[in-house]
Amino acid sequence: MLLHYKGSNLPEMKYLGNTLEREFKLAPEFHEEFSRVFRENCEYLGITAGAPSNGSGPSPTRPTTVVVGEPSKKSTVKAFVIMPFTERVKDRPEGFFTEVLRSLITPAAVEAGFTVETANRQGSDVIQSTIVNELLEADLVIADLTDHNPNVLFELGLRMAEEKPVALIKASGTGRVFDVDNMLRVHEYQPHLWRSTIERDLPELTKHILAAWENHNRDQSYMKILRRTGGENNNGASG
């Protein structure tokens, strides 16, 4: 389970239960017992999120980026995911974004043929240089705009300035980002993350990711649209 969650803390039971049943075929009546035993063993061993919690001994070096999904066939393209790491809106339960990454974004991108990576900030909001390099060099960036996280919007701006492809998504109910929503398609997913909604959203999200990638050579990048629009406005003003 530590390997499955890449050393992250277990999410809330409503999300953990989905994973236990779907990935590990564990019947729902055993979910609470599994969670209790797992946490007790972690506490006994002195580990939290896969790292020593008592301060003794050297802390393991954590990579700034991690691979969270790979296609069964070797992939030549990489998708880098930028999204919130912590829930700062009261309506978002703890573990919400971990579950979005695990149950929606990663399987959809893998199905589209990408190796999927994301940042491993472990609770830090610092945007490290390694993350910036990955952000700028990845074949495709998948950006979750849910709750208008400032880091995500900043990282998206960096990516767009490079005129490289992005696939934009957000949880249904998230407000519009005027300059983005008016020019680029943003795919909305259901925030309930029930099994039924995930099953409906996955194929559509996969199509959205594929479309963003297949159109990446199109001469209609965000920056080119802005430059053209700006030029038209200037011409109109001078006339």
Side-chain angles (χ1 to χ4, degrees):
M1 186 59 67
L2 283 174
L3 292 175
H4 186 77
Y5 278 101
K6 306 292 183 181
S8 300
N9 290 322
L10 294 183
E12 287 191 358
M13 181 52 67
K14 63 180 292 188
Y15 302 135
L16 176 61
N18 287 340
T19 299
L20 290 175
E21 190 170 356
R22 184 177 62 249
E23 302 293 337
F24 296 97
K25 312 303 180 186
L26 187 65
E29 58 264 30
F30 298 114
H31 292 179
E32 290 288 350
E33 181 181 1
F34 171 86
S35 177
R36 176 182 59 78
V37 172
F38 182 85
R39 295 176 195 277
E40 287 175 356
N41 275 279
C42 286
E43 183 177 353
Y44 176 77
L45 294 171
I47 57 176
T48 301
S53 60
N54 57 7
S56 62
S59 298
T61 301
R62 294 188 179 278
T64 53
T65 63
V66 290
V67 176
V68 293
E70 295 180 282
S72 55
K73 295 182 179 179
K74 186 175 181 180
S75 174
T76 60
V77 288
K78 176 173 68 178
F80 188 73
V81 181
I82 56 176
M83 65 186 304
F85 278 74
T86 55
E87 294 74 27
R88 300 184 185 277
V89 176
K90 63 180 182 179
D91 293 335
R92 305 283 180 219
E94 183 180 354
F96 173 80
F97 290 111
T98 298
E99 191 67 17
V100 170
L101 177 64
R102 184 167 305 281
S103 296
L104 277 176
I105 299 176
T106 299
V110 167
E111 180 65 23
F114 290 89
T115 294
V116 188
E117 293 187 14
T118 191
N120 184 12
R121 293 196 183 110
Q122 290 296 308
S124 171
D125 284 331
V126 176
I127 302 174
Q128 302 179 43
S129 60
T130 304
I131 295 173
V132 172
N133 289 333
E134 293 287 345
L135 173 73
L136 300 181
E137 294 172 5
D139 299 288
L140 178 70
V141 163
I142 302 171
D144 190 335
L145 307 181
T146 301
D147 300 336
H148 300 164
N149 180 277
N151 275 353
V152 173
L153 295 177
F154 175 77
E155 293 167 356
L156 177 60
L158 291 177
R159 175 70 177 188
M160 285 183 163
E162 291 292 302
E163 299 193 37
K164 292 185 175 180
V166 294
L168 304 180
I169 67 174
K170 65 182 179 182
S172 179
T174 299
R176 294 167 61 83
V177 180
F178 181 79
D179 289 337
V180 174
D181 289 68
N182 279 0
M183 296 188 186
L184 300 175
R185 180 170 176 255
V186 182
H187 174 80
E188 293 192 2
Y189 60 85
Q190 290 299 316
H192 309 296
L193 300 182
W194 298 324
R195 176 180 290 187
S196 58
T197 60
I198 289 173
E199 289 175 351
R200 285 197 300 268
D201 280 334
L202 268 175
E204 295 304 315
L205 181 54
T206 300
K207 291 178 185 177
H208 179 67
I209 292 171
L210 279 171
W213 176 242
E214 289 169 354
N215 293 327
H216 73 281
N217 287 323
R218 190 180 61 174
D219 190 33
Q220 291 293 327
S221 72
Y222 183 85
M223 294 301 295
K224 289 175 181 176
I225 293 173
L226 281 182
R227 291 189 183 112
R228 185 177 66 245
T229 303
E232 292 171 353
N233 289 341
N234 289 336
N235 290 337
S238 63

